[in-house]
């Protein structure tokens, strides 16, 4: 045990004395969360809105002029038929389209109830959501105004359609995404690199010719990165809750537990890489292409898995971050308990066991 | 006559912050001479050699290499010198011929020159059969001999050799020195560092650096006489033991 | 009892095992002996040391260190040997003290417990114990590495090219340290490309291209050199060397420090040689009898 502890101590020295790397490791989650956070909460001004007014009466003119008066929108086009909608988006003439049905005025007067439709280009989901929110607010204001003058309350139903990305992924998706990315980088890449570095400078040779069990060396390398990752998880969660107002709807204990599980998955993969490679460059390259890129491309963080072609969808199943991403979204955003994520958890556990067994099996007790 | 000196230095100094790596050294090297540049680890040899090769600017003092000033004419200096070290010499993943071609190309030699000289060189080193083999597959001694020949391929006036024979077997080590003698006989000045003290005896003149200064400079015979020593090894030990610098 | 027994040990690399690094080597090292493996880079010294320290599996043959087989009982060997690889093996970002403490703990011991063994070496670097290993000079790094390799009081110590790239002064000091250690009863195997270090060992093995050319005490090895060696010098050493090699009575001539060592054929005549050299225009000629060194023996064995 003393051997092990002295190993862990030594690893902390290495990390602590390489201030530059330490700074990157701890600063990276903060920077990433902030960048993504600003991208999300960015104020939208003078966004282009196109209007398909099929009614063309006093009521619709009134509504349109209110939209025009708002600083958020600039009316870029008036469409003549529903067929123009797709073309408008394709030519990038508008980011959002307001559709006023022919019966708008009469419905409002006779039924006290009318419908409008907002269609947004959700390929940029963050902007789309923001625009929909603004537009809805203007319509609600308009509704309040006309209700002031009439005895019977009138209701305008706003029907929202998100084109291209119907589920509107992306709203809070970046927090789980950044978590997966950061853990990946710290655990997989850094563990792999630090073990391979010992091979390069020749200290591994001396370690092997000592009574220390080789496994101890490797596990001791992983411990500091596990702790570092927990610090990162906490800083990401604190930033999300207090700066970005992304709530933690589910259990924090469950969320932490799942994150640590995923950290161990990443560590195991890092150990496996270090057993298979002999140079820091190779280790880094494998870590990047084997874990980091799939995390960005295939976990559902950037692009919805459902929209991918079948081969990619199949491949995404073996990407651990895909399952972790689902778990974090479920626990954090949807507030589900373990009953909602047990399946994904089991998959992650199985992957971890597999990677760990392989890493231990491949670990060389000799050179070559 | 100043023109007979291929290297001259005057109070040449290099400081890194408050550490004086090279401390006011003044010496000259004759044209066509084999000049041994000795010193313990950390005595300042590497720093001095870098300044002479035009890779590092002196803090103060003067130096000329082949008549060119180390402050202003570093490009001319680089064209007039060859360089070879134990660590970096050739590309292991290129063949013998490709390596020669590459270095010839760097110095802007014509294709005809490269072609003719390559054949001559391969014959000289007895490497005709290995011409299209990867350098990585050659024994160390051959690599070092090839590296030396490549370093003087462009017919420089001076060649700097940084521990060229480290780890080489005794027979090849002597073959290597024969190459040095031959080069010197054609008028190339050889500036060499080594850890083998018997090799110091092969030099025309030897300088020994201690703590950034040149503490001795003369022919091996004169040095041994002066320090009342039987071998250069003893001379070196007497001088290097005086070093007070513990760090490099 | 023999401390190290090597029996027909072989090792090859490459896909088809086409690179033969060690070829059927056999030798023995007695307990408490300072044994040197002398040979240039690429001779197979490192592969041999790695097999003996259980880092590599031999392809054929067997070896035992302190009675334990290097393949079957590799764990036992790892407990009782000390190893200093050629590539430098300290943590550059840890201080002198931290390095030493770390190595003590991984061998389940403490610096205090075996301090008497490393004391002579460690006191020289103790003034810098808070300095990072990466900031030490070559000689001091070497002392620290040796201290680390000794901290668990190994029975056999393997030093792979400890003096390569180290200046003459530090090399001298290092060999003096090894002499002290030998007195403590530790068997030491050391490899080196420097022939002049051979004389500092009890016994040596000359190694070249994966083979042991000869094993014995330095005196035995130079004693096997039967031909006469003349040391010859003149005012033009390079011309002299050419002249010597062109002479019929000369077996071999090569530069050796101040003189050219000239290996003579049997029944040579010194006067004839002198006349020949003078006739060739050599001045200030000196011809004297010279004792063969290990380097002379090595070159003769290499050329056979």
């Amino acid at each position: 045990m003393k051997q092990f502890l002295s190993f862990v101590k030594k690893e902390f020295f290495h990390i602590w004395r390489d201030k530059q790397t330490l700074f990157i490791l701890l600063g990276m989650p903060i920077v990433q969360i902030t960048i993504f956070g600003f991208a999300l909460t960015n104020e939208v001004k003078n966004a282009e809105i196109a209007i398909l007014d099929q009614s063309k009466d006093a009521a619709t003119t009134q509504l349109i002029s209110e939209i025009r008066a708002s600083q958020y929108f600039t009316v870029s086009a008036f469409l003549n038929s529903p067929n123009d909608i797709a073309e408008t988006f394709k030519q990038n003439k508008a980011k959002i389209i307001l559709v006023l049905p022919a019966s708008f005025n009469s419905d409002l007067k006779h039924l006290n109830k009318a419908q409008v439709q907002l269609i947004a280009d959700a390929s940029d989901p963050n902007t789309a959501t923001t625009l929909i929110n603004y537009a809805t607010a203007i319509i609600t204001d308009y509704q309040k105004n006309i209700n002031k003058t009439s005895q019977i309350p009138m209701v305008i139903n706003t029907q929202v359609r998100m084109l291209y990305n119907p589920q509107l992924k992306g709203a809070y998706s970046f927090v789980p995404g950044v978590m997966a990315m950061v853990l990946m980088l710290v655990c997989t890449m850094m563990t792999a690199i630090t073990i391979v570095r010992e091979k390069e400078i020749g200290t591994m040779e001396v370690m092997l010719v000592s009574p220390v069990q080789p496994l101890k060396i490797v596990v001791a390398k992983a411990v500091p990165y596990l702790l570092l990752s927990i610090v990162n998880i906490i800083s990401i969660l604190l930033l999300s809750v207090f700066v970005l107002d992304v709530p933690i709807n589910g259990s924090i204990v469950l969320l932490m537990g799942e994150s640590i599980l995923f950290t161990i998955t990443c560590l195991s993969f890092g150990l496996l890489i270090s057993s298979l490679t002999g140079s820091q460059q190779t280790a880094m390259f494998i870590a990047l292409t084997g874990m980091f890129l799939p995390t960005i491309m295939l976990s559902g963080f950037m692009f919805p898995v459902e929209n991918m072609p079948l081969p990619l969808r199949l491949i995404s199943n073996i990407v651990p971050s895909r399952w972790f991403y689902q778990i974090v979204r479920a626990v954090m955003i949807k507030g589900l308990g373990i009953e909602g994520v047990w399946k994904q958890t089991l998959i992650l556990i199985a992957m971890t066991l597999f990677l760990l067994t392989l890493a231990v099996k491949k670990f060389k007790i000799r050179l070559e | 006559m100043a023109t007979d000196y291929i290297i001259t230095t005057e109070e040449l100094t290099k400081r890194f912050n408050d550490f004086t790596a090279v401390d006011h050294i003044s010496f000259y090297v004759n044209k066509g001479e084999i000049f041994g540049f000795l010193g313990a680890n950390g005595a300042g040899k590497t720093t001095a050699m870098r300044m002479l090769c035009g890779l590092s600017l002196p803090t103060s003092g003067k130096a000329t290499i082949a008549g060119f000033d180390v402050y202003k004419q570093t490009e001319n200096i680089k064209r007039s010198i060859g360089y070879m070290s134990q660590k970096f010499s050739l590309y292991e993943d290129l063949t013998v011929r490709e390596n020669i071609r590459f270095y010839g190309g760097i110095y802007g030699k014509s294709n005809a020159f490269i072609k003719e000289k390559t054949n001559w060189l391969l014959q000289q080193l007895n490497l005709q059969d290995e011409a299209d083999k990867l350098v990585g597959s050659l024994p160390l001694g051959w690599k070092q001999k090839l590296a030396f020949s490549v370093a003087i391929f462009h017919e420089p006036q001076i060649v700097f050799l940084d521990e060229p024979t480290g780890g080489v077997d005794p027979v090849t080590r002597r073959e290597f020195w024969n190459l040095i003698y031959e080069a010197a006989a054609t008028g190339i000045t050889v500036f060499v560092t080594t850890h083998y003290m018997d090799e110091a005896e092969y030099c025309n003149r030897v300088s020994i650096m201690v703590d950034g200064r040149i503490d001795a400079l003369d022919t091996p015979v004169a040095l041994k006489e002066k320090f009342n020593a039987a071998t250069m090894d003893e001379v070196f030990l007497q001088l290097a033991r005086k070093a007070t610098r513990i760090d490099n | 009892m023999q401390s190290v027994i090597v029996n027909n040990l072989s090792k090859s690399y490459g896909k088809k095992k086409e690179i033969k690094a060690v070829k059927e080597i056999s030798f023995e090292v007695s307990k408490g002996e300072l044994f040197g493996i002398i040979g240039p880079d690429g001779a197979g010294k490192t592969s041999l040391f790695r097999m003996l320290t259980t880092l590599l599996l031999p392809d054929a043959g067997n070896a035992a260190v302190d009675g334990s087989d290097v393949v079957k009982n590799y764990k036992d060997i790892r407990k009782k040997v000390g190893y200093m690889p050629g590539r430098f093996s300290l943590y550059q970002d840890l201080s002198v003290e931290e390095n030493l403490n770390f190595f003590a703990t991984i061998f389940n011991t403490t610096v205090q417990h075996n301090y008497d063994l490393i004391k002579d070496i460690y006191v020289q670097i103790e003034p810098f114990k808070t300095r990072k290993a990466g900031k030490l000079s070559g000689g001091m790094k070497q002392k620290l590495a040796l201290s680390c390799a000794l901290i668990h009081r190994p029975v056999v110590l393997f030093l792979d090219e400890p003096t390569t790239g180290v200046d003459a002064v530090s090399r001298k000091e290092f060999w003096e340290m090894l002499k002290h250690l030998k007195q403590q009863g530790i068997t030491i195997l050391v490899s080196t490309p420097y022939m002049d270090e051979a004389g500092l060992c009890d016994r040596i093995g000359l190694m070249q291209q994966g083979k042991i050319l000869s094993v014995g005490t330095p005196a035995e090895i130079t004693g096997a050199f039967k031909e006469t060696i003349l040391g010859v010098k003149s005012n033009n050493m390079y011309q002299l060397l050419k002249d010597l090699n062109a002479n019929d009575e000369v077996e071999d001539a090569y530069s050796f420090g101040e003189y050219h060592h000239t290996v003579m054929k049997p029944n040579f005549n010194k006067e004839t040689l002198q006349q020949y050299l003078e006739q060739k225009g050599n001045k200030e000629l000196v011809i004297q009898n010279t004792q063969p060194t290990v380097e002379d023996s090595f070159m003769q064995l290499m050329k056979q």
Side-chain angles (χ1 to χ4, degrees), chain B residues 138-147 164 167-169 172-173 175-176 179, chain C residues 40-41:
Chain B
L138 300 180
L140 175 77
W142 294 18
K143 275 187 221 170
Q144 296 303 83
K145 283 195 277 180
L146 178 63
V168 175
D169 71 69
T172 316
R173 208 147 65 78
E175 289 169 2
F176 192 92
L179 289 179
Chain C
D41 287 5

Side-chain angles (χ1 to χ4, degrees), chain A residues 149-214:
Chain A
T149 53
S150 89
Q151 284 98 19
I152 317 148
M154 286 185 269
V155 180
I156 301 174
N157 267 342
T158 316
Q159 194 200 348
V160 174
R161 266 187 73 197
M162 292 289 188
L163 281 187
Y164 310 117
N165 182 2
Q167 286 165 306
L168 200 67
K169 293 227 168 204
Y172 291 145
S173 67
F174 69 93
V175 173
V178 167
M179 261 169 89
M181 257 162 63
V182 166
L183 294 181
M184 203 86 269
L185 216 62
V186 174
C187 299
T188 310
M189 198 149 104
M190 292 312 293
T191 342
I193 286 179
T194 132
I195 296 177
V196 174
R197 185 184 297 147
E198 296 230 8
K199 288 190 194 175
E200 280 188 355
I201 61 172
T203 37
M204 196 51 110
E205 262 177 77
V206 179
M207 295 297 126
L208 288 176
V209 188
S210 81
V212 188
Q213 292 137 284

Side-chain angles (χ1 to χ4, degrees), chain C residues 38-291:
Chain C
I38 319 281
D41 287 5
K45 302 190 297 292
T46 299
S47 296
L48 173 64
F49 271 44
R50 284 182 173 169
M51 284 191 279
L52 294 180
T53 51
T54 77
L55 284 168
L56 282 181
L57 287 174
D59 294 331
N62 54 61
V65 175
D66 195 46
S68 311
D69 186 89
V70 291
V71 179
K72 277 176 249 149
N73 305 323
Y74 76 94
K75 278 190 182 156
D76 296 335
I77 294 181
R78 290 181 181 193
K79 281 183 196 128
K80 56 195 178 190
V81 305
Y83 173 48
M84 198 170 128
R87 270 188 309 171
F88 219 71
S89 49
L90 291 168
Y91 295 101
Q92 310 288 309
D93 55 343
L94 298 191
S95 71
V96 169
E97 215 174 11
E98 284 161 354
N99 266 296
L100 197 61
N101 279 324
F102 173 71
F103 282 97
T105 350
I106 65 163
F107 282 100
N108 281 322
T109 182
T110 58
V111 175
Q112 289 73 32
H113 192 253
N114 290 319
Y115 189 71
D116 60 307
L117 186 64
I118 60 159
K119 190 173 162 249
D120 291 342
I121 305 164
Y122 189 62
V123 285
Q124 303 175 49
I125 43 174
E126 209 167 12
F128 316 101
K129 62 183 179 186
T130 51
R131 191 178 287 190
K132 304 264 158 61
K135 295 255 156 76
L136 295 176
S137 69
M140 292 212 290
K141 272 187 191 166
Q142 203 189 27
K143 282 170 195 155
L144 176 57
L146 187 60
S147 303
C148 291
L150 280 171
I151 195 65
H152 59 298
R153 200 176 280 277
V155 186
V156 185
L157 182 61
F158 291 91
L159 306 171
D160 191 9
E161 297 207 16
T163 53
T164 295
V166 176
D167 65 66
V169 176
S170 305
R171 270 164 60 192
K172 276 257 151 61
E173 283 177 4
F174 194 81
W175 279 94
E176 270 149 32
M177 289 189 279
L178 293 189
K179 254 187 225 163
H180 276 281
L181 285 176
K182 204 181 84 98
Q183 283 157 8
Q184 311 256 8
I186 298 177
T187 308
I188 304 172
L189 268 82
V190 58
S191 74
T192 176
Y194 297 103
M195 302 285 152
D196 57 345
E197 291 179 347
L200 305 165
C201 303
D202 295 330
R203 287 200 311 138
I204 51 173
L206 301 183
M207 199 170 177
Q208 164 78 354
Q209 292 183 341
K211 284 195 193 125
I212 296 268
L213 303 174
S214 179
V215 180
T217 63
E220 282 165 4
I221 289 191
T222 51
F225 198 104
K226 294 297 176 216
E227 292 78 359
T228 306
I229 297 183
L230 297 177
V232 186
K233 70 172 179 179
S234 80
N235 64 332
N236 186 343
M237 293 299 277
Y238 186 48
Q239 186 54 45
L240 177 66
L241 188 62
K242 283 184 179 170
D243 295 340
L244 284 169
N245 273 315
N247 189 289
D248 288 340
E249 285 189 322
V250 172
E251 178 72 45
D252 193 10
Y254 43 85
S255 46
F256 206 103
E258 195 180 346
Y259 292 87
H260 288 324
H261 276 194
T262 313
V263 184
M264 303 306 294
K265 286 182 180 158
N267 311 321
F268 71 96
N269 185 316
K270 213 169 171 177
E271 279 72 44
T272 339
L273 182 70
Q274 174 135 18
Q275 281 162 17
Y276 161 78
L277 290 175
E278 278 167 358
Q279 190 195 332
K280 286 276 175 185
N282 289 287
K283 297 202 174 64
E284 299 161 39
L285 205 59
V286 179
I287 302 181
Q288 60 181 38
N289 280 347
T290 300
Q291 289 305 309

